[in-house]
Amino acid sequence: MDSYDDKLNGELYRALMKGDEQEVIQICLSIPEGPSRIMTIHMDTVLHMATFSKQADLVLKLLKNLPETHLNKLTRQNDTGNTILHEAATSNSTTKAAREMLNKAPELLSLRNLLGETPIFRAARYGKRSVFEFLADEVDKVCAKMTEEQRIDAFFRRTDGTTILHISVLAEHFVLAGSIATRYPYLINLPDDDGMTALQLLSCNPLAFQSGGQHGFLKKLISSLVSRKGDNTKGGDDQGVEVCKPVAFVSDFVKSCWRSPMLEAARKEKARYESAAKLAGLLIPYDTSWKNTNPRLDRSKPKTHRYGSRASLNEKGLGRDGSQSLSLGKEEKENHQEWSQESNKSFTEKGGEEECDEPLEDYTTPIIKTGETPLFLATMSGIREIVEQILDVHPQAIEHINNKGRNILHVAIKYRQIEMFNLVVSNEMLARRLITKTDKWGNSLLHMTGKKSSGHLAEKIQSPALQLQKELLLFERVKEVYRTYFIKHLNEQKQTPEELFAATYYELHNSATDWLKRTSENCTIVAVLIATVAFAAAYTIPGGPNQTTGLPLLLSQPFFVIFTLTDVISLTFSLTSVVTFLSILTSSFRLQDFKNSLPQKLMLGFTFLILSVSMMMVAFAATIVLMIHNKERWTKIVLYSVAFLPVTLFAISYSPLYLSLLEACKYPFKLILKACPRCNCVPFQPRMNNKLLEDESMRGDSSSIKPHKSHSNSNPV
């Protein structure tokens, strides 16, 4: 009997795989169970498998031929608890079949699987808008007399507390999530078992927004050429996209002839960004989590000494002058290493949250168990769209302070979101209210530059030296908006910002030093070889000298002049490059040198090295032309093309590092521009009311801070 059942189930399985409706129907008519027969090892019936394979016509035919005596078998569940309606909810093509199922077995609407999911939850999970709207209409009919809480427990929430709005946001079905939020607004502020609302979950997904992802030039260009049009589809989350008017005709012609995968991907990504931003706009007005804040305490008395009731850290080898930590030389590093390793054990953040051995106090609220509002989560993730929308709807939310005593500026610096920092400090009033605040451990904004989350990754950084430079520039940027007397402020562990910074990046400092030494040594060897070849070429002139006069035989040839000039330039550039790299090797590699001096020298050395290689290959090509005495133009073109092949490969291989160096050297150019005198006839916007600053400085108000770059406090770190 078992062998017969296995054979019959195999025939059914094979027919369903082939999509042979007639054979499936015939087999079902020949067996007593009909389409309610269990045919897989996971307890799936024929109707389960037909629905799962999206054969909607077959499902309708099987339901039509189902005897009345077998209607009670429609509620059969497989080993995961899914009914046939659960399977129908995963595809828009089976909407009609789902309607027929409910006509024959209405109790299917409220049955749950082992995860506690109802069919409408499955539709939200898979982002199927047509079948979701049908099931939502049916649920509304059933729940007409229920309260909101009863509806949620009966249909919209599964066992782990996740609602249909949570799951649609997590699965990135943002259009459907917007429909759910509009239809059932009482789901918006419901937390899951982790205490996360839908807006918090959305704020933790930076890749769903334009500002959260990293885009290259080509990707940005393609994205700028496409624009989203109205969503005319009702079945799913795919958004229609139209090309902007200047290229609409060309785009339509191209699409009619050839579909570009890159253009299609750009359309979908553009639609996803806009749908996520629209969803955020729907959720933000309902968010009130920012009201649950801690008191706003102002550290009106900066502490610049280590005397007091707490034990001084001088016992661990700290000097009394905190400013020396950022200028350690080779001789001071060994003395500093023991203290930095010990302090790292005490002050390194564990998991990106814990600050020290002191237990965290419980400041959680009934609304947000995690203690972080959507504004802070969006700031951590670098989602500018959500931050701007929250501040536009609830501008007072910017003053929220979390359970660690930190405001939005502390969070932005810790998670290295400098764009968010600049967004806030660009406003004079906001900067004065937030800039001097300290957290529970007395850490100021400048201290936060020495802390970062454990999951922080350097963005597009090819070397430890550039990564360290980026951190130093961040320190300098925050320092520019601070008053001088607050820069020496000590936290509860008796550390100045500079000491904490030096201790945190001690290992990175060593790695950057080693990398810079290896790079300079290798480039010095290449530059010396080029100089040797260029020097030797000057004494082995093409064509040789005149035996009588000693003058070159090809002196009158124009390519001889090209050879001479390029050989001399190549020798000059290569020797200059050698000197530049030697100056790096003989540097003291102090921490402050990595901010401007060493990266600038490295960029200068690379520039001269690339130019010397280029000139050497031009000289080589000119020599070949002189030797063969060929007047044909195509020969010269081929020779120069072949000569520049090594130069091209060399430039391409070093282009990522060179571009990073160019990006890193923007800061000194900005300082040069600031130092240049401005013409009075050129209008410019004043950045701060100087009289206001002077008056508040005389009153001694520590909350009055310049939110712009100050010349007086722009000393190197």
Side-chain angles (χ1 to χ4, degrees):
M1 187 65 180
D2 291 340
S3 61
Y4 172 76
D5 290 341
D6 292 341
K7 182 179 179 181
L8 186 61
N9 291 339
E11 293 176 358
L12 279 170
Y13 205 95
R14 192 177 299 109
L16 285 168
M17 290 176 61
K18 294 179 180 179
D20 191 345
E21 295 182 5
Q22 294 300 325
E23 184 177 355
V24 174
I25 294 174
Q26 289 179 2
I27 295 176
C28 289
L29 291 175
S30 65
I31 56 178
E33 302 92 334
S36 299
R37 176 185 176 84
I38 297 175
M39 57 169 292
T40 70
I41 59 176
H42 295 293
M43 306 300 290
D44 294 291
T45 65
V46 178
L47 279 171
H48 275 97
M49 295 300 297
T51 308
F52 177 80
S53 58
K54 302 178 183 180
Q55 301 181 44
D57 293 337
L58 175 59
V59 175
L60 289 172
K61 292 176 182 178
L62 292 175
L63 290 172
K64 184 178 180 180
N65 296 330
L66 188 69
E68 293 290 334
T69 56
H70 288 178
L71 291 181
N72 60 337
K73 296 181 180 180
L74 288 178
T75 57
R76 280 184 172 176
Q77 297 173 288
N78 58 19
D79 60 358
T80 60
N82 289 330
T83 64
I84 55 176
L85 189 58
H86 282 92
E87 302 294 351
T90 62
S91 174
N92 289 317
S93 62
T94 55
T95 304
K96 292 182 179 180
R99 181 177 286 106
E100 185 65 23
M101 293 173 187
L102 287 178
N103 290 336
K104 292 183 176 292
E107 60 271 24
L108 287 172
L109 188 63
S110 59
L111 291 180
R112 297 174 177 267
N113 59 18
L114 297 183
L115 295 176
E117 298 174 342
T118 56
I120 192 174
F121 193 101
R122 293 264 290 181
R125 176 181 170 188
Y126 286 90
K128 306 305 176 182
R129 295 172 60 194
S130 292
V131 68
F132 177 86
E133 291 178 4
F134 162 71
L135 293 174
D137 292 338
E138 296 297 320
V139 168
D140 291 344
K141 295 176 184 178
V142 175
C143 300
K145 297 182 180 181
M146 291 185 181
T147 63
E148 293 179 356
E149 189 63 30
Q150 289 174 337
R151 293 183 185 185
I152 294 170
D153 292 335
F155 293 98
F156 300 148
R157 183 161 51 194
R158 70 181 185 186
T159 308
D160 62 357
T162 305
T163 66
I164 55 176
L165 184 56
H166 290 125
I167 199 66
S168 59
V169 172
L170 289 172
E172 297 188 353
H173 305 307
F174 301 127
V175 176
L176 178 58
S179 300
I180 295 173
T182 304
R183 188 164 190 165
Y184 307 111
Y186 49 83
L187 297 177
I188 293 178
N189 281 332
L190 282 182
D192 59 11
D193 278 2
D194 296 325
M196 301 289 285
T197 63
L199 183 56
Q200 285 178 292
L201 295 175
L202 186 63
S203 302
C204 293
N205 187 3
L207 297 181
F209 294 85
Q210 182 78 32
S211 61
Q214 298 180 8
H215 309 284
F217 172 77
L218 181 60
K219 195 171 183 179
K220 289 181 180 178
L221 178 63
I222 295 176
S223 179
S224 65
L225 294 178
V226 296
S227 61
R228 179 183 165 195
K229 67 181 180 181
D231 180 26
N232 297 323
T233 61
K234 198 176 179 180
D237 278 355
D238 295 339
Q239 306 297 307
V241 178
E242 65 180 2
V243 180
C244 57
K245 292 181 179 179
V247 293
F249 174 77
V250 177
S251 177
D252 291 340
F253 175 76
V254 171
K255 285 192 291 183
S256 63
C257 301
W258 175 61
R259 296 179 64 86
S260 170
M262 184 176 294
L263 191 60
E264 290 297 320
R267 289 194 187 101
K268 292 181 179 179
E269 191 174 61
K270 183 86 171 183
R272 188 165 65 98
Y273 291 154
E274 296 187 3
S275 60
K278 184 177 180 181
L279 174 61
L282 290 173
L283 301 178
I284 287 172
Y286 294 89
D287 176 54
T288 58
S289 59
W290 49 271
K291 293 183 179 180
N292 299 282
T293 183
N294 284 308
R296 180 173 62 90
L297 299 178
D298 189 1
R299 185 64 65 105
S300 59
K301 178 186 176 183
K303 189 170 184 178
T304 58
H305 61 83
R306 297 185 177 88
Y307 302 102
S309 57
R310 288 177 174 263
S312 174
L313 293 186
N314 285 332
E315 298 173 0
K316 299 181 179 180
L318 252 176
R320 297 193 176 186
D321 185 8
S323 60
Q324 67 181 357
S325 298
L326 290 185
S327 58
L328 295 178
K330 293 180 179 179
E331 299 177 356
E332 297 170 296
K333 287 182 180 178
E334 296 180 359
N335 297 331
H336 182 70
Q337 182 177 7
E338 181 180 355
W339 169 80
S340 64
Q341 291 176 349
E342 185 174 356
S343 61
N344 278 331
K345 293 179 182 178
S346 300
F347 310 124
T348 298
E349 302 177 40
K350 300 177 181 178
E353 298 296 333
E354 296 181 3
E355 302 296 336
C356 64
D357 296 332
E358 298 181 25
L360 295 179
E361 298 182 22
D362 185 10
Y363 289 97
T364 57
T365 65
I367 298 178
I368 307 294
K369 291 182 180 179
T370 60
E372 298 297 354
T373 62
L375 176 62
F376 278 23
L377 292 174
T379 302
M380 296 174 187
S381 303
I383 306 177
R384 187 184 181 97
E385 294 88 341
I386 292 183
V387 173
E388 290 181 340
Q389 288 190 61
I390 292 178
L391 297 182
D392 183 59
V393 177
H394 308 294
Q396 65 273 40
I398 200 169
E399 296 193 12
H400 174 80
I401 298 175
N402 66 6
N403 59 352
K404 298 180 180 63
R406 294 173 180 167
N407 58 33
I408 188 173
L409 294 181
H410 288 91
V411 174
I413 296 173
K414 177 181 177 181
Y415 288 86
R416 301 306 186 257
Q417 300 296 343
I418 190 63
E419 184 179 359
M420 303 301 172
F421 177 83
N422 292 331
L423 176 67
V424 177
V425 299
S426 61
N427 186 288
E428 174 187 343
M429 187 192 74
L430 295 180
R432 287 193 287 112
R433 287 183 66 84
L434 302 176
I435 205 73
T436 59
K437 303 304 177 289
T438 58
D439 63 9
K440 287 174 56 178
W441 298 273
N443 293 314
S444 64
L445 295 183
L446 206 54
H447 281 94
M448 299 306 294
T449 60
K451 297 177 179 290
K452 60 182 178 180
S453 62
S454 59
H456 174 76
L457 297 176
E459 301 176 2
K460 298 182 179 180
I461 297 296
Q462 283 77 30
S463 71
L466 298 183
Q467 183 179 349
L468 181 59
Q469 186 203 30
K470 186 175 181 180
E471 300 297 338
L472 286 166
L473 292 179
L474 175 63
F475 186 95
E476 185 69 19
R477 174 68 184 95
V478 178
K479 186 178 178 181
E480 287 171 353
V481 299
Y482 254 87
R483 286 191 173 275
T484 305
Y485 63 79
F486 212 81
I487 293 176
K488 302 296 183 182
H489 168 67
L490 300 176
N491 61 12
E492 297 296 330
Q493 285 75 40
K494 304 296 179 65
Q495 290 178 299
T496 65
E498 293 180 337
E499 290 170 347
L500 180 60
F501 187 95
T504 302
Y505 295 106
Y506 181 79
E507 294 297 331
L508 181 61
H509 184 196
N510 290 337
S511 300
T513 300
D514 294 339
W515 178 86
L516 203 56
K517 286 181 178 179
R518 293 196 306 269
T519 303
S520 300
E521 289 172 355
N522 295 333
C523 291
T524 301
I525 294 174
V526 174
V528 169
L529 290 176
I530 295 174
T532 303
V533 173
F535 187 81
Y539 291 93
T540 55
I541 55 177
N546 189 311
Q547 298 297 328
T548 304
T549 62
L551 297 175
L553 295 175
L554 303 177
L555 183 61
S556 60
Q557 297 291 330
F559 277 97
F560 186 84
V561 179
I562 296 176
F563 162 77
T564 305
L565 289 176
T566 53
D567 186 66
V568 172
I569 294 174
S570 177
L571 177 62
T572 303
F573 283 163
S574 60
L575 291 178
T576 305
S577 177
V578 170
V579 173
T580 304
F581 288 121
L582 287 178
S583 67
I584 295 177
L585 291 173
T586 56
S587 173
S588 61
F589 295 99
R590 298 178 303 168
L591 190 58
Q592 64 179 1
D593 294 338
F594 284 87
K595 186 177 69 173
N596 289 320
S597 175
L598 293 177
Q600 289 174 15
K601 289 180 181 179
L602 187 62
M603 186 189 71
L604 191 64
F606 270 123
T607 302
F608 284 122
L609 183 60
I610 293 175
L611 290 176
S612 65
V613 174
S614 303
M615 293 299 101
M616 184 181 68
M617 297 312 299
V618 172
F620 167 76
T623 302
I624 298 299
V625 172
L626 287 171
M627 294 300 293
I628 62 177
H629 294 282
N630 195 326
K631 301 294 185 180
E632 294 184 13
R633 191 171 183 178
W634 66 269
T635 307
K636 299 175 184 178
I637 294 175
V638 171
L639 286 173
Y640 275 97
S641 300
V642 173
F644 272 96
L645 180 61
V647 179
T648 304
L649 295 177
F650 182 82
I652 292 175
S653 61
Y654 279 93
S655 60
L657 177 59
Y658 193 76
L659 292 176
S660 299
L661 288 170
L662 287 176
E663 183 72 21
C665 291
K666 286 182 178 180
Y667 183 78
F669 290 118
K670 292 180 181 179
L671 294 180
I672 294 175
L673 291 176
K674 287 173 60 178
C676 294
R678 292 187 177 91
C679 180
N680 293 330
C681 62
V682 179
F684 65 95
Q685 182 69 27
R687 292 170 295 179
M688 180 61 67
N689 189 327
N690 293 329
K691 186 177 184 302
L692 174 64
L693 287 177
E694 292 174 1
D695 293 343
E696 293 183 349
S697 177
M698 293 178 64
R699 290 198 304 264
D701 185 3
S702 63
S703 63
S704 175
I705 300 298
K706 286 188 180 181
H708 61 83
K709 295 183 178 181
S710 172
H711 293 282
S712 62
N713 292 333
S714 58
N715 297 326
V717 176

